[in-house]
Amino acid sequence: MLDRIISELGPWNWMVLGFVLLVMEIIAPGIFMLWIGIAALIIGAVSLLIWDAGFWTWQVQVLAFLALSLISAYVGKKLVGGREDPTDQPLLNRRGAQMVGKMATLAEPIRDGRGRIKLGDTLWRVSGPDLPAGTQVRVTAAADTDLELTVERV
């Protein structure tokens, strides 16, 4: 059945796949289907040129498509991925990282390495050495998820 569909559409099957992937990129943008769609269009163009060649079976076409998809996704990542503009506020939306270096008083004692401090109007979970409530501490680090701060006694 697959052989029949491929032979009926000929090289246009890759063009159809390429355009379907490009439409999917428009509907759900993420700059990923774009590169795979471009790979399918390139394989379609090559197929138009060498369709009658004996070595250009559908298995070879699929392998070429897979290889070209990987290459085009890698090249696309290099082209688009390196365009991050430097910002004047690198800690924006990283509240935990903004707290590093601040002094606070323990609202709850640190027991078994866990406790709470109050910074501003927010209670933060902290980890550090066991300390009683009311101890002055300094924030030394923030977890990547900004859910927990690491503290040390001042």
Side-chain angles (χ1 to χ4, degrees):
M1 167 139 174
L2 186 62
D3 287 335
R4 187 176 62 86
I5 293 172
I6 291 174
S7 64
E8 286 178 7
L9 284 176
W12 293 104
N13 56 11
W14 291 109
M15 298 293 193
V16 169
L17 176 65
F19 285 118
V20 166
L21 289 169
L22 293 178
V23 167
M24 286 175 55
E25 179 69 33
I26 292 170
I27 293 172
I31 311 178
F32 183 75
M33 292 295 177
L34 171 71
W35 308 110
I36 298 173
I38 290 171
L41 291 173
I42 291 171
I43 294 296
V46 170
S47 293
L48 283 173
L49 296 173
I50 61 170
W51 184 254
D52 293 327
F55 69 90
W56 196 243
T57 63
W58 71 268
Q59 293 94 341
V60 172
Q61 293 174 36
V62 169
L63 288 175
F65 169 67
L66 293 174
L68 195 56
S69 294
L70 290 173
I71 292 168
S72 65
Y74 177 76
V75 169
K77 172 90 169 125
K78 290 294 183 186
L79 288 174
V80 177
R83 293 189 179 178
E84 285 190 29
D85 296 328
T87 179
D88 61 339
Q89 296 180 352
L91 298 179
L92 185 66
N93 295 331
R94 295 179 50 210
R95 289 193 60 214
Q98 293 174 10
M99 299 300 153
V100 174
K102 296 208 178 205
M103 308 283 273
T105 303
L106 284 175
E108 297 176 12
I110 298 178
R111 291 191 189 114
D112 298 324
R114 303 275 189 244
R116 291 190 185 272
I117 61 171
K118 185 166 184 162
L119 280 170
D121 61 351
T122 305
L123 272 175
W124 290 84
R125 284 188 299 179
V126 295
S127 63
D130 289 353
L131 297 169
T135 305
Q136 283 286 105
V137 293
R138 178 182 16 252
V139 178
T140 58
D144 288 337
T145 59
D146 281 346
L147 296 177
E148 185 172 270
L149 304 173
T150 304
V151 296
E152 66 180 16
R153 178 181 232 146
V154 178

